[in-house]
Amino acid sequence: MRRPAVLTLLLVLVASTGRAQDSPDVYLGDHMPFAAFDRLPADRLLVAGGEITVAVAPGALEVPRAALLAWIQQSASAVAGYYGRFPAERTRLLVVPGSGRAVSRGRSWGYRAASVRIVIGAQATPADLARDWILVHELTHLAFPSVPSRHHWIEEGLASYVEPVARVQAGQLAPEAIWAELAAGLPKGLPQPGDRGLDHTPTWGRTYWGGALFALLADVEIHRRTQNRAGLQEALRAILATGNMETSSPLEPLLDIGDRATGVPVLAELYGRMKDQPAPVDLDALWRELGVAIDGRRARLDDEASLASTRRAITAPRPMPAR
Ligand SMILES: [Zn+2]
């Protein structure tokens, strides 16, 4: 049957508007594309304390859907294990097919509802996904309230530091890997000439690695002062209990909540020292105390070192709280 021309034209218009709306650019913009996401076929994953809705933007992915979902489940479980529960009750996770084999980038938002976008190479295999760190990093962002932009370093620093710790605790990464990675990366977070402290030096190095340095120093010092009864993890669990990335807060009250949970004012003190002055750190001395020796790109761990028990306590799995 022939359609009247005007109806055909209307159908073409509707079809092309639909296509234009959901073109790849829609999925890669600066905001979570809620409307386009909600039109995609979705799977639901349950993880302790939360539900993740997973949808894949149009495009080819070689990895089978079941393997993709298993990897997301595993990444979300590592984050839930670290925080005692998944940091958001409902999360939208948008997977966008990209080029190559790697997970190339990710982003997370808390402004309307917890949501994460991850770009995965069209040729990525399950083994490529197992090597990825970006998804756990993005999911970790959901666990910390949104803070004013001068403190962006703590958002990126915590996500960068917690990601490998959570994966080691979940048995998804060897402990040597995290220490080798920190030893290679943390020098990029040290203050350079002209540095004005973490709140006033928004360079890439100070934001990501300077923030991770703050997290590691806090973790070691909380463990040291509490004889390994508590660490940064207990502080972050307490902060999450008051709000996740879907909420916003000034930074100081969050640090106080963390300090009250551990019983030692390490976060407030460290922040006071690092926020508006360079506060250099002797990393070599820290590695000696923790018993981390770098041999090329690998770390050798020394259990005789003075803070070896702290190093082990940092990556030891914590019990999930009773629900
Ligand atoms: Zn990040």
Side-chain angles (χ1 to χ4, degrees):
M1 197 183 85
R2 281 196 53 173
R3 290 192 190 97
V6 67
L7 180 59
T8 306
L9 178 64
L10 265 175
L11 286 173
V12 167
L13 274 174
V14 168
S16 62
T17 333
R19 269 204 303 278
Q21 236 174 18
D22 296 350
S23 77
D25 296 347
V26 166
Y27 299 102
L28 290 171
D30 277 342
H31 298 281
M32 175 69 181
F34 285 102
F37 180 94
D38 291 344
R39 278 194 292 274
L40 295 169
D43 287 287
R44 283 189 172 69
L45 296 179
L46 292 176
V47 51
E51 181 187 278
I52 303 175
T53 304
V54 180
V56 181
L61 273 186
E62 280 181 22
V63 69
R65 186 88 166 195
L68 176 73
L69 294 175
W71 166 67
I72 293 170
Q73 182 92 48
Q74 177 178 307
S75 303
S77 300
V79 175
Y82 187 88
Y83 287 96
R85 66 173 169 90
F86 193 72
E89 270 176 45
R90 280 179 213 296
T91 303
R92 286 179 177 84
L93 175 53
L94 171 64
V95 176
V96 182
S99 57
R101 288 179 52 175
V103 178
S104 55
R105 60 200 151 115
R107 186 131 180 211
S108 47
W109 295 273
Y111 64 93
R112 210 172 100 185
S115 46
V116 169
R117 176 180 65 205
I118 191 102
V119 180
I120 297 179
Q123 280 88 47
T125 64
D128 293 323
L129 297 183
R131 273 192 291 276
D132 164 68
W133 58 269
I134 296 178
L135 179 56
V136 174
H137 174 104
E138 295 304 334
L139 296 176
T140 300
H141 271 305
L142 301 178
F144 198 74
S146 183
V147 290
S149 59
R150 67 180 178 283
H151 313 306
H152 187 49
W153 57 268
I154 201 163
E155 297 171 337
E156 292 305 342
L158 288 174
S160 302
Y161 177 74
V162 169
E163 169 264 314
V165 175
R167 289 169 69 211
V168 171
Q169 289 189 357
Q172 298 169 13
L173 197 66
E176 286 81 359
I178 169 179
W179 299 111
E181 199 178 296
L182 287 172
L186 285 177
K188 297 175 215 160
L190 292 172
Q192 300 301 308
D195 189 278
R196 299 190 302 126
L198 289 172
D199 275 353
H200 309 285
T201 314
T203 58
W204 175 86
R206 288 293 264 167
T207 300
Y208 284 79
W209 288 106
L213 180 61
F214 175 89
L216 171 65
L217 293 175
D219 210 358
V220 169
E221 187 60 15
I222 296 168
H223 275 91
R224 204 180 58 77
R225 286 199 214 175
T226 64
Q227 284 83 47
N228 295 329
R229 280 193 306 276
L232 178 64
Q233 189 164 0
E234 283 63 39
L236 294 178
R237 284 183 174 194
I239 292 169
L240 171 61
T242 70
N244 67 1
M245 195 196 196
E246 295 163 286
T247 64
S248 42
S249 170
L251 180 58
E252 283 97 331
L254 299 178
L255 301 181
D256 288 341
I257 289 162
D259 283 342
R260 276 202 298 278
T262 61
V264 287
V266 168
L267 293 173
E269 286 177 17
L270 198 57
Y271 176 58
R273 206 159 73 230
M274 296 177 81
K275 66 177 175 179
D276 52 17
Q277 55 194 352
V281 174
D282 184 349
L283 283 175
D284 289 336
L286 181 63
W287 301 137
R288 268 196 307 278
E289 285 182 311
L290 289 170
V292 176
I294 298 304
D295 184 1
R297 290 179 59 188
R298 302 180 54 131
R300 262 187 304 104
L301 304 181
D302 172 13
D303 281 343
E304 304 300 314
S306 58
L307 290 180
S309 64
T310 285
R311 189 199 69 233
R312 288 196 305 269
I314 285 174
T315 55
R318 305 290 209 280
M320 295 290 267
R323 302 190 65 79

